[in-house]
Amino acid sequence: MKHAATLTVNGMAYPVELDGDTTLVRAIRDEIGLTGTKEGCDDCECGACMVMIDGRPVNSCTYLALQAVGSEVTTVEGLADGETLSSLQSAFLDQGGVQCGFCTPGMLVSAHALLRENANPTDEEVRLALGGNLCRCTGYAKIAGAVMQAAKASV
Amino acid sequence: MGDVAFHTATTVDEALALLGDGSDARVVAGGSDLIVQARHGKSLPGTVIAIHRIDALRGLTAGDDLVVGALTSHATLCADAAVRSTWTAIADASALVGSHATRNVGTLGGNVMNASPAMETGGPLIVLGASVTLRSAAGDREVAIEELWTGPGKTSAKPGEICVAITVPAQPAHTGSAYVRLEYRRAMEIAIVGASACVTLDDDGNVTAAKVALTALAPTIIRSPAAEAAIIGTDGHDDALDAVAAGASADAKPISDLRANEDYRRAMAGVIAKRAVAVAAQRARGEEFPIPATPVFMKGSGR
Ligand SMILES: Cc1cc2nc3c(=O)[nH]c(=O)nc-3n(C[C@H](O)[C@H](O)[C@H](O)COP(=O)(O)OP(=O)(O)OC[C@H]3O[C@@H](n4cnc5c(N)ncnc54)[C@H](O)[C@@H]3O)c2cc1C
Ligand code: FES
Ligand code: FES
């Protein structure tokens, strides 16, 4: 059963036709065509699918797309200003926090949400905030370092 | 997944009307249990009714009693000053749920109605004497939390009922509570073993009342009468705490699964129950103890 709806992603309104059980990650990737958001486990374990809903991080693989109608969704594409990377994104590159890159969109969204709430986090707070994001490449130290660099740059 | 109709309700009455007798419809709050389960063979019903826009069910009121709207998130619960000071075990528990993202979407109503024997807030709600308000077309009824859970994933609620609130009564003076879990990592974890305690002291510091509950140690979350008997009437210190541990291990009815075997769970039931009672007693004495009471161990930052 298709439901006509409008999803607001990165400030743009997208008219979509969705099944009742379509997850938000599938709507963002397949209907809207923004493929920055990744589907890793599709089981709410890895965090690759992290987006913000009304400013707070949510695993989009286990959230129904139709539940997001009426909310502001922000994906990794919404973090940069056009071609200009955010200071957080630049810090990931500076620090070597990106290897294969599969976890990176989710890491960026979780870290961005943390820095919005807490501009000057401790290393422990950074690691706890990224606790729902798995990375099988970097060993996490460089990712945590990148978030700390971005935080220091902003205060 | 199959052909699913989706509705968003903005009032409880609207949700109840859509739910009907509940035979082929289900409410979804945060979806952090329901949608995950839909991945694991339990398909979604014909109709999904989203209730997350029913603003009347969100938020909490802390008067003498604590009344928590069913849609209140774990993030709200563990940050609330009144919950942290008076109904502390609930804050200990909500702070451990999943990750930041899980705590943003996951609700207390969803946690309670999902009825997992490993769920975090259940033990705290038992030791604090909570009840849930279930609403149907026939009106409201109040169910003591211990009578709500009938088995893993099973409740005594009827399919057409919606949980609207969870009420936690006022606590006597010199009362403290705590929830501690054994975990392999902090985020995205399921309790291997958990224990909750609520302890009330008299003016001399002796324990006059105590409740202890065990999580992930039986088909539902259970009280431990032996642990409770071991602490009541004592000063709440060392020998009594050892007896609490023995009592909790004796009352546990653990299973073996890939996360831990039965013997290990039984041994840890004692260790974790002892820690929960010790922290609850400390808080009852007015001593500070960090929330969550389960410590986080991290390179260079353990406590
Ligand atoms: C990655 C991850 C980690 C998790 N970690 C933990 C953890 O550490 N500890 C823990 O306890 N849980 C954990 N959970 C489980 C889950 O997040 C919690 O149980 C949460 O509180 C469920 O709330 P929800 O609103 O998302 O429930 P939903 O999935 O929306 O609903 C769960 C069930 O309850 C029913 N329901 C929901 N609200 C109502 C209502 N008001 N009235 C009647 N029925 C209702 C639904 O129909 C469904 O059957 C985790 C889940 C995930 C995905
Ligand atoms: S794809 Fe959503 S958590 Fe892994
Ligand atoms: S960079 Fe490859 S998973 Fe993180």
Side-chain angles (χ1 to χ4, degrees):
Chain A
M1 193 181 304
K2 290 283 182 190
H3 300 69
T6 302
L7 288 176
T8 307
V9 182
N10 305 327
M12 294 263 290
Y14 295 92
V16 282
E17 295 239 326
L18 299 170
D19 288 317
D21 57 4
T22 302
T23 57
L24 183 57
V25 65
R26 296 252 64 103
I28 291 170
R29 291 179 57 89
D30 302 348
E31 303 299 320
I32 294 175
L34 292 172
T35 53
T37 306
K38 302 299 178 221
E39 189 177 79
C41 61
D42 194 26
D43 202 18
C44 214
E45 292 287 347
C46 73
C49 64
M50 202 70 77
V51 300
M52 285 191 291
I53 296 183
D54 298 328
R56 316 192 92 192
V58 169
N59 296 84
S60 62
C61 70
T62 31
Y63 200 75
L64 293 175
L66 289 165
Q67 282 193 277
V69 171
S71 291
E72 292 279 341
V73 179
T74 308
T75 68
V76 67
E77 287 92 344
L79 302 186
D81 179 11
E83 295 287 297
T84 312
L85 296 182
S86 69
S87 56
L88 177 67
Q89 289 171 310
S90 303
F92 267 66
L93 294 179
D94 286 354
Q95 296 280 333
V98 181
Q99 286 188 25
C100 80
F102 199 83
C103 70
T104 312
M107 288 286 181
L108 286 168
V109 169
S110 289
H112 180 88
L114 166 71
L115 295 178
R116 271 168 54 111
E117 282 202 356
N118 179 356
N120 196 13
T122 63
D123 186 62
E124 177 176 327
E125 284 168 338
V126 169
R127 285 168 184 272
L128 285 173
L130 299 179
N133 292 82
L134 300 182
C135 174
R136 63 102 53 241
C137 304
T138 65
Y140 300 101
K142 293 180 173 181
I143 291 175
V147 182
M148 293 302 278
Q149 178 187 320
K152 287 203 185 83
S154 74
V155 288
Chain B
M1 293 197 232
D3 199 17
V4 176
F6 182 95
H7 300 278
T8 302
T10 52
T11 65
V12 179
D13 285 347
E14 194 187 338
L16 285 172
L18 289 162
L19 191 55
D21 65 5
S23 55
D24 191 33
R26 200 72 177 269
V27 300
V28 59
S32 61
D33 275 315
L34 191 71
I35 311 303
V36 173
Q37 287 157 10
R39 297 272 187 294
H40 297 268
K42 276 196 197 174
S43 59
L44 288 173
T47 303
V48 170
I49 303 152
I51 59 172
H52 66 307
R53 304 278 178 205
I54 307 180
D55 291 334
L57 297 187
R58 196 184 321 277
L60 50 88
T61 337
D64 286 346
D65 296 347
L66 173 72
V67 182
V68 185
L71 288 179
T72 308
S73 70
H74 294 290
T76 300
L77 278 168
C78 67
D80 185 83
V83 175
R84 293 172 72 91
S85 64
T86 308
W87 297 279
T88 320
I90 298 174
D92 284 333
S94 279
L96 296 180
V97 172
S99 66
H100 280 271
T102 323
R103 292 191 290 279
N104 287 336
V105 295
T107 63
L108 185 61
N111 205 202
V112 163
M113 296 306 286
N114 192 58
S116 159
M119 60 96 104
E120 241 63 73
T121 62
L125 292 174
I126 287 181
V127 298
L128 292 166
S131 59
V132 299
T133 308
L134 300 174
R135 186 170 297 168
S136 67
D140 284 3
R141 69 183 177 110
E142 201 76 13
V143 179
I145 200 89
E146 282 175 82
E147 278 149 36
L148 182 72
W149 299 307
T150 52
K154 294 203 173 67
T155 71
S156 58
K158 299 183 190 83
E161 283 181 321
I162 290 178
C163 171
V164 290
I166 296 94
T167 303
V168 195
Q171 301 296 317
H174 310 303
T175 296
S177 64
Y179 172 72
V180 179
R181 84 175 176 191
L182 177 66
E183 57 188 15
Y184 295 144
R185 68 182 290 239
R186 169 52 46 91
M188 325 304 273
E189 180 60 306
I190 299 170
I192 294 126
V193 163
S196 308
C198 181
V199 170
T200 302
L201 307 175
D202 64 16
D203 289 339
D204 302 323
N206 292 315
V207 179
T208 55
K211 283 187 193 175
V212 177
L214 305 176
T215 299
L217 284 164
T220 60
I221 300 170
I222 53 168
R223 294 265 295 272
S224 172
E228 292 172 1
I231 193 80
I232 293 171
T234 72
D235 64 2
H237 285 105
D238 297 348
D239 289 352
L241 291 174
D242 289 339
V244 165
S249 286
D251 282 341
K253 301 175 184 66
I255 56 163
S256 293
D257 63 15
L258 82 164
R259 300 167 54 70
N261 74 25
E262 182 187 332
D263 291 345
Y264 180 62
R265 278 207 168 90
R266 186 181 299 287
M268 291 307 105
V271 174
I272 298 299
K274 176 175 163 174
R275 285 187 197 163
V277 172
V279 175
Q282 228 174 303
R283 288 175 174 161
R285 288 182 212 112
E287 297 162 25
E288 288 289 323
F289 197 92
I291 299 170
T294 307
V296 50
F297 294 106
M298 220 177 260
K299 188 172 146 246
S301 67
R303 65 153 209 260

